[in-house]
């Protein structure tokens, strides 16, 4: 029978890992993709400016160069953006809370079996699931706190990655453009 304690450990670790995963994905996903998109746009604008670098099409060349310069300023501003520090601090705070919660759970349930599984279902892993109290609980098929916390942490991390995949976050976070692009600028 599963009591409320092991379930609460799993739910709390699921929340911690989901928030950490969302912070990590939004930080890497949005900023990195926006920088990559800006770099590609700058390279394309520079190529187009080179193509129009003749005396008869100098106006278009200058327009592409101005757009490329504006995009480079936007990229420089994005690289100096201080929002990443806030996300790093939030990630650190969540990590510390997770460590404190795990330590509290281990102290609270040390030496106790959190749940019992029939021994024939856990046959090759009996000793591992009863660690470090293998001699006390080996016959009963018990799961102690250390293996339970390790399994809950790993499973909750995987569930967070499945629940919030990178593709879903990409669709929701469209970068804001600060450079006003003219539609005729891309027409060749």
């Amino acid at each position: 029978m599963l009591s409320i304690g092991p379930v609460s450990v799993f739910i709390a670790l699921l929340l911690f890992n989901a928030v950490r995963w969302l912070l990590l994905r939004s930080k890497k996903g949005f900023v990195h993709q926006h920088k990559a998109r800006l770099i590609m746009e700058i390279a394309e604008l520079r190529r187009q400016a080179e193509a129009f670098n003749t005396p008869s099409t100098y106006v278009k060349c200058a327009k592409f160069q101005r757009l490329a310069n504006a995009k480079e300023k936007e990229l420089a501003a994005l690289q100096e953006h201080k929002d990443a520090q806030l996300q790093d601090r939030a990630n650190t705070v969540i990590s510390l809370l997770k460590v404190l919660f795990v330590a509290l759970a281990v102290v609270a349930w040390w030496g106790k079996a959190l749940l019992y599984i029939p021994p024939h279902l856990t046959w090759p892993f009996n000793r591992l699931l009863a660690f470090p109290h293998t001699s006390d609980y080996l016959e009963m098929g018990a799961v102690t706190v250390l293996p339970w916390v390790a399994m809950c942490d790993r499973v909750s991390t995987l569930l967070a990655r499945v629940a919030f995949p990178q593709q879903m976050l990409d669709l929701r976070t469209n970068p804001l453009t600060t450079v006003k692009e003219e539609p005729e600028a891309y027409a060749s």
Side-chain angles (χ1 to χ4, degrees):
M1 185 168 94
L2 191 64
S3 67
I4 194 87
V7 174
S8 64
V9 168
F10 178 73
I11 290 172
L13 286 175
L14 181 64
L15 290 175
F16 285 134
N17 287 328
V19 171
R20 283 188 67 213
W21 178 251
L22 285 173
L23 283 173
L24 179 70
R25 294 313 256 176
S26 66
K27 176 182 171 185
K28 285 186 177 180
F30 176 73
V31 174
H32 180 67
Q33 286 181 354
H34 192 49
K35 284 180 184 178
R37 189 176 299 139
L38 281 174
I39 289 170
M40 288 176 29
E41 287 177 5
I42 290 168
E44 181 63 28
L45 288 170
R46 295 280 182 212
R47 268 187 255 123
Q48 288 179 357
E50 280 296 317
F52 290 115
N53 196 6
T54 61
S56 63
T57 57
Y58 180 74
V59 174
K60 283 189 176 183
C61 175
K63 186 182 288 186
F64 285 126
Q65 287 177 346
R66 284 193 303 272
L67 281 172
N69 290 340
K71 293 276 184 181
E72 283 179 348
K73 286 180 184 177
E74 184 180 351
L75 180 63
L78 186 65
Q79 288 174 343
E80 294 175 0
H81 195 60
K82 301 296 182 194
D83 196 30
Q85 289 180 353
L86 179 64
Q87 288 180 338
D88 289 340
R89 286 183 188 151
N91 194 15
T92 303
V93 167
I94 291 170
S95 297
L96 286 173
L97 287 174
K98 180 180 163 184
V99 167
L100 289 173
F101 181 77
V102 167
L104 181 67
V106 168
V107 168
W109 289 303
W110 185 260
K112 299 175 187 170
L114 295 181
L115 59 113
Y116 294 97
I117 301 173
H120 66 279
L121 294 177
T122 62
W123 165 69
F125 304 109
N126 285 346
R127 291 186 188 277
L128 184 63
L129 291 175
F131 180 79
H133 309 287
T134 55
S135 61
D136 299 337
Y137 296 116
L138 188 60
E139 308 278 325
M140 297 180 266
V143 179
T144 57
V145 69
L146 289 180
W148 179 253
V149 167
M151 285 188 296
C152 287
D153 186 39
R154 191 66 187 145
V155 168
S156 64
T157 301
L158 292 174
L159 284 176
R161 289 180 182 186
V162 168
F164 306 108
Q166 178 65 31
Q167 293 81 16
M168 189 175 81
L169 290 175
D170 291 344
L171 295 175
R172 290 187 298 165
T173 55
N174 293 327
L176 299 173
T177 57
T178 58
V179 176
K180 177 85 173 161
E181 295 178 7
E182 299 165 8
E184 70 272 356
Y186 287 113
S188 296

